[in-house]
């Protein structure tokens, strides 16, 4: 890849704007609420775009394109079965309790609904997790820049850390949200021409489908395995993912996606910054509309790349091989940027990629500084100090959080296995969370002890399931089977989905059992926190088409139509 | 917050669009071989420019409406 002056100029203009937004917002940061929650004053379309953008880190973009090449169109299950229903559920059913309780964070909601120990468990695991996610983001970016532009690892890490540090220090969550919206448009504008040129190269959708039929046949699957989503899901052997429809629907769709989109403070924080209850509820619903079409932006490039690599696009686009001879799927996006974009557009594409790495970091840092300040520092270290004190603590937490992320990036660079191990641990901690929220919000009998021990049991169940099963063809250890191999799974993805299903199930059962054996909280304390004890929100004054239930139904209908078209 | 986000978005894409479209007009046509013969800088730069101008127009209209009514507009609620 050979960037010219025009490409550097485009990147430079973007960096100037990122910092400029931080500077322009500085004068609005007066209280801790301004800093951590944007003063709860942001309109729904902005929080909505920030909501998807916070999740649209570069690993997501690169990973989805890689999966598009590896698994084809079925990758869109992560959107049309995974994200969309969960986002609708969050907006229609859960947001009234998050926003209505005036909790400033997800752990704080757990404190209001359950007790201190449940909050502590969630706050500490979340804080550690965000720092490492931010570090992994930095690490991935540094590796890519080294490969593409020959930049030194330390230069990339420090440059990106410095820019993120400055704009969050100045403008807090608002800065992060505004930059996420900028990044949203950059990603769309940077990648749309890539898809257009790629499709043109392989002969349009029909040319692509013909190429993918050959890819499927060459790998021993039914001809439509790369172009359909549901019709190849009857058994794990009939699709390259190695999963069947029930683990897609339950494991990915229900447990994992609801667990992520409905309880992860990184995304929920964007909705809490909204200017009203209506806006907060509309945030994930507005976000779901572009999210629905993202497969065409991020998965399609992978499909184009694999079809072109194995069966020829006119211009000879071909994925590189890794040292062990396997195709390097992670190179889909960088390869296509270099292959199709002339100088000029190349700058825009690189800027979009760097923007998504940096917002991925920034999202984690803003979630970290809030949880640290409100749920750890204010709760356990220094209670009852002035608002100014907590605002300053938030700024210190930003600096420390970024410092720790840099350390995590270096750790990832040195010990790859440590990162895999940590991500596995986080998966165990997160898998059961949705059961706790579901019971907490919709069953008033759920007690604090029930929630706490249910979470612990769910995490233990996830670890045990992972230790007792192994994907076919993997070595025991980090892939599973470290206790004993009782059950083989056809693929790692199948193992992940079932781990989540077991964790959810055990957490659900233990929470119910312990709750029945312990005393629930008095009903008057749970008003606004539990469905049956909260007055319904009146829809008076809202236009009918703007009501969350109507918007949610439209979004779901759209997702169903897409599932049917690409069945 | 007090800053209408459409102003930075609009300005960023006006500048990027103008840079790309300008480069597309004056660059050597040979570089468009990789983009399958399409002068993607010119076309896409033009699209970005139009998008940026539309964003600025919306921001300008909202500011006018605020000035006329003296009310806080619903698209840019100020926290103060």
């Amino acid at each position: 890849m050979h960037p010219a002056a025009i490409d550097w100029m485009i990147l430079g203009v973007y960096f100037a704007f990122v910092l400029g937004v931080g500077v322009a917002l500085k004068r609005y940061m007066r209280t801790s609420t301004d800093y951590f929650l944007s003063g709860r004053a942001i309109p729904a379309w902005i929080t909505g775009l920030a909501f998807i953008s916070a999740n649209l880190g570069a690993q997501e973009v690169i990973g989805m394109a890689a999966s598009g090449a590896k698994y084809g169109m079925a990758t869109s299950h992560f959107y049309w079965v995974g994200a969309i229903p969960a986002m609708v559920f969050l907006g229609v059913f859960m947001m009234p309790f998050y926003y209505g309780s005036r909790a400033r964070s997800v752990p704080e909601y757990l404190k209001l609904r359950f007790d201190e120990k449940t909050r502590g468990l969630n706050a500490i695991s979340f804080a550690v997790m965000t720092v490492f996610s931010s570090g992994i983001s930095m690490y991935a970016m540094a590796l890519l820049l080294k490969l593409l532009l020959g930049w030194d690892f330390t230069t990339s890490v420090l440059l990106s850390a410095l820019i993120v540090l400055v704009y969050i220090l100045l403008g807090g969550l608002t800065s992060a949200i505004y930059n996420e919206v900028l990044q949203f448009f950059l990603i769309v504008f940077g990648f749309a021409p890539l898809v257009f040129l790629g499709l043109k190269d392989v002969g349009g959708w029909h040319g692509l489908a013909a190429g993918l039929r050959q890819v499927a046949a060459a790998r021993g699957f039914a001809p439509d395995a790369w172009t359909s989503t549901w019709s190849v899901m009857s058994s794990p052997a009939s699709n390259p993912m190695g999963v069947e429809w029930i683990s897609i629907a339950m494991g990915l769709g229900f447990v994992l996606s609801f667990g992520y989109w409905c309880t992860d403070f990184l995304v929920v924080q964007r909705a809490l910054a909204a200017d009203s209850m209506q806006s907060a509820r509309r945030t994930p619903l507005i976000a779901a509309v572009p999210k629905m079409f993202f497969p065409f932006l991020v998965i399609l490039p992978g499909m184009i790349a694999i079809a072109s690599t194995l069966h020829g696009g006119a211009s000879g686009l071909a994925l590189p091989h890794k040292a062990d001879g396997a195709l390097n799927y992670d190179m889909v996006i960088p390869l296509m940027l270099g292959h199709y974009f002339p100088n000029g557009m190349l700058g825009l594409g690189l800027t979009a990629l760097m923007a998504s790495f940096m917002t991925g970091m920034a999202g984690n840092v803003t979630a970290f500084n809030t949880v640290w300040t409100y749920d750890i520092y204010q709760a356990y270290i220094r209670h009852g100090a002035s608002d100014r004190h907590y605002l300053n603590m938030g700024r210190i937490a930003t600096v420390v959080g970024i410092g720790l992320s840099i350390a995590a990036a270096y750790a990832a660079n040195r010990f790859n296995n440590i990162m895999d191990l940590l991500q596995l641990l986080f998966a165990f901690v997160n898998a059961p969370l949705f059961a706790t929220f579901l019971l907490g919000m919709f069953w008033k009998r759920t007690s604090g002890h029930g929630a706490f021990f249910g979470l612990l049991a769910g995490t233990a169940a996830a670890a045990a399931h992972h230790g007792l099963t192994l994907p076919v063809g993997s070595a025991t250890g980090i892939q599973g089977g470290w206790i004993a191999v009782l059950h083989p799974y056809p693929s790692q993805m199948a193992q992940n989905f079932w781990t989540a299903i077991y964790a959810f199930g055990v957490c659900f059962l233990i929470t119910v059992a312990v709750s029945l054996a312990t005393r629930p909280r008095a009903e008057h304390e749970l008003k606004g926190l539990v469905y049956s004890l909260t007055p319904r929100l009146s829809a008076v004054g809202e236009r009918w088409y703007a009501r969350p239930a109507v918007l949610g139904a439209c979004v779901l209908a759209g997702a169903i139509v897409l599932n049917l078209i690409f069945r | 917050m007090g800053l209408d986000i459409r102003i930075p978005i609009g300005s960023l894409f006006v500048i990027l669009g103008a840079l790309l479209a300008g480069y597309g007009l004056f660059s050597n046509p040979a570089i468009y071989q990789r983009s399958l013969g399409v002068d993607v800088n010119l076309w896409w730069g033009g699209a970005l420019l139009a998008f940026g101008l539309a964003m600025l127009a919306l921001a300008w209209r909202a500011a006018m409406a605020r000035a006329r009514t003296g009310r806080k507009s619903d698209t840019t609620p100020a926290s103060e």
Side-chain angles (χ1 to χ4, degrees):
Chain A
M1 203 172 279
H2 304 287
I6 177 81
D7 303 309
W8 297 121
M9 258 162 85
I10 288 170
L11 196 61
V13 168
Y14 169 70
F15 282 162
F17 266 82
V18 166
L19 297 176
V21 166
V23 172
L25 288 171
K26 183 174 187 298
R27 61 200 175 99
Y28 301 108
M29 296 296 127
R30 298 214 184 88
T31 67
S32 71
T33 314
D34 292 336
Y35 195 73
F36 296 121
L37 288 166
S38 302
R40 296 191 193 263
I42 305 217
W45 72 272
I46 299 178
T47 52
L49 293 183
F51 187 94
I52 32 175
S53 211
N55 162 262
L56 196 69
Q59 287 111 307
E60 164 96 358
V61 173
I62 288 175
M64 281 296 159
S67 299
K70 252 191 275 185
Y71 311 124
M73 202 63 204
T75 310
S76 58
H77 284 312
F78 283 89
Y79 292 78
W80 299 338
V81 181
I84 304 294
M87 288 159 88
V88 171
F89 188 79
L90 173 66
V92 174
F93 294 106
M94 287 176 77
M95 199 47 77
F97 308 111
Y98 279 138
Y99 196 88
S101 67
R102 307 305 280 178
R104 297 166 301 182
S105 67
V106 167
E108 193 167 61
Y109 173 81
L110 290 175
K111 151 88 173 120
L112 295 172
R113 173 63 185 85
F114 298 118
D115 54 16
E116 198 57 66
K117 62 179 180 297
T118 312
R119 183 240 290 256
L121 180 66
N122 183 249
I124 291 167
S125 62
F126 181 79
V128 175
M129 186 166 70
T130 46
V131 164
F132 278 101
S133 308
S134 164
I136 291 171
S137 201
M138 237 186 247
Y139 161 73
M141 170 156 126
L143 280 194
L144 193 66
L145 292 181
K146 191 172 171 183
L147 188 69
L148 294 182
L149 306 172
W151 286 13
D152 174 55
F153 188 85
T154 302
T155 311
S156 309
V157 165
L158 293 186
L159 179 71
S160 58
L162 187 72
I163 291 173
V164 170
L165 177 72
V166 170
Y167 80 71
I168 296 182
L169 220 43
L170 289 169
L173 179 64
T174 316
S175 227
I177 286 181
Y178 276 28
N179 279 308
E180 280 156 8
V181 176
L182 279 183
Q183 180 236 339
F184 170 82
F185 289 112
L186 273 172
I187 284 273
V188 172
F189 286 131
F191 287 5
L194 202 60
V195 175
F196 171 79
L197 292 172
L199 271 181
K200 189 171 148 73
D201 195 21
V202 292
W205 174 256
H206 288 287
L208 178 63
L212 289 173
R213 271 196 292 277
Q214 296 181 45
V215 171
R219 304 208 166 166
F221 291 101
D224 57 348
W226 257 258
T227 46
S228 56
T229 57
W230 286 108
S231 63
V232 290
M233 287 292 152
S234 54
S235 88
S238 60
N239 63 78
M241 280 182 171
V243 294
E244 81 297 345
W245 64 274
I246 185 144
S247 65
I248 288 276
M250 291 302 296
L252 171 66
F254 185 61
V255 179
L256 282 174
S257 299
F258 280 70
Y260 175 75
W261 292 101
C262 300
T263 72
D264 197 301
F265 184 53
L266 172 65
V267 286
V268 173
Q269 186 178 28
R270 272 73 200 149
L272 294 186
D275 57 14
S276 64
M277 172 69 92
Q278 283 81 2
S279 295
R281 297 183 73 191
R282 277 201 285 268
T283 295
L285 302 174
I286 290 174
V289 177
K291 185 86 186 166
M292 230 186 309
F293 298 101
F294 265 54
F296 302 113
L297 207 59
V298 295
I299 297 174
L300 216 46
M303 294 163 64
I304 293 168
I306 192 74
S308 188
T309 302
L310 298 184
H311 295 285
S315 70
L317 175 83
L319 281 169
H321 292 266
K322 285 193 284 200
D324 62 0
L327 284 174
N328 190 350
Y329 294 111
D330 287 338
M331 285 304 288
V332 168
I333 294 284
L335 172 79
M336 287 176 74
L337 286 179
H339 186 85
Y340 290 122
F341 280 176
N343 291 117
M345 278 306 293
L346 183 63
L348 189 69
L350 279 177
T351 304
L353 212 51
M354 283 181 83
S356 70
F357 273 117
M358 292 203 316
T359 46
M361 276 164 61
N364 280 301
V365 170
T366 49
F368 169 80
N369 66 23
T370 308
V371 166
W372 164 263
T373 305
Y374 284 151
D375 292 300
I376 298 176
Y377 184 75
Q378 190 178 29
Y380 303 113
I381 298 172
R382 178 134 182 228
H383 196 73
S386 68
D387 188 69
R388 174 139 293 274
H389 180 83
Y390 294 122
L391 174 59
N392 287 332
M393 177 41 74
R395 296 207 163 110
I396 294 170
T398 305
V399 177
V400 172
I402 291 183
L404 290 172
S405 310
I406 296 176
Y410 277 96
N413 195 29
R414 234 183 115 78
F415 315 102
N416 225 328
N417 292 336
I418 288 188
M419 281 298 148
D420 293 342
L421 198 64
L422 276 168
Q423 282 184 316
L424 198 61
L425 285 178
F426 298 146
F428 296 162
V429 173
N430 280 343
L433 256 185
F434 184 59
T436 307
F437 280 85
L438 200 62
L439 286 168
M441 284 181 175
F442 297 98
W443 191 44
K444 65 184 179 189
R445 188 70 185 69
T446 319
S447 70
H449 290 309
F452 183 76
F453 291 106
L455 276 178
L456 288 185
T459 300
H465 179 265
H466 184 263
L468 291 170
T469 60
L470 191 67
V472 170
S474 307
T476 53
I478 193 110
Q479 314 271 8
W482 38 272
I483 304 174
V485 183
L486 294 186
H487 181 76
Y489 278 110
S491 69
Q492 200 186 352
M493 202 179 274
Q495 184 197 30
N496 287 345
F497 291 171
W498 284 102
T499 298
I501 293 173
Y502 278 100
F504 177 91
V506 168
C507 177
F508 193 93
L509 291 178
I510 298 294
T511 305
V512 170
V514 176
S515 292
L516 288 175
T518 49
R519 206 139 48 96
R521 290 182 60 178
E523 294 202 351
H524 68 267
E525 291 175 8
L526 297 178
K527 204 158 171 263
L529 299 169
V530 179
Y531 188 74
S532 61
L533 301 174
T534 304
R536 294 299 152 78
L537 294 164
S538 70
V540 178
E542 273 187 279
R543 285 157 295 187
W544 67 269
Y545 56 82
R547 285 180 200 159
V550 177
L551 275 178
C554 294
V555 168
L556 274 186
I560 290 172
V561 168
L562 285 169
N563 271 306
L564 287 176
I565 295 176
F566 293 94
R567 66 188 177 280
Chain B
M1 309 299 324
L3 172 71
D4 188 338
I5 193 180
R6 287 170 293 197
I7 296 171
I9 296 178
S11 332
L12 175 66
F13 283 103
V14 164
I15 296 175
L16 293 185
L19 276 175
L20 280 176
Y23 189 73
L25 274 180
F26 299 109
S27 51
N28 179 357
I31 68 170
Y32 298 108
Q33 215 175 346
R34 44 174 80 235
S35 51
L36 315 172
V38 182
D39 186 346
V40 67
N41 284 334
L42 178 63
W43 290 108
W44 203 241
L48 295 191
L49 189 62
F51 172 79
L53 288 174
M55 276 283 161
L56 287 181
L58 285 174
W60 180 75
R61 212 180 58 167
M64 287 291 112
R66 266 200 309 282
R68 227 184 359 261
T69 57
R71 238 171 358 100
K72 286 168 184 167
S73 148
D74 63 339
T75 51
T76 52
S79 63
E80 51 214 295

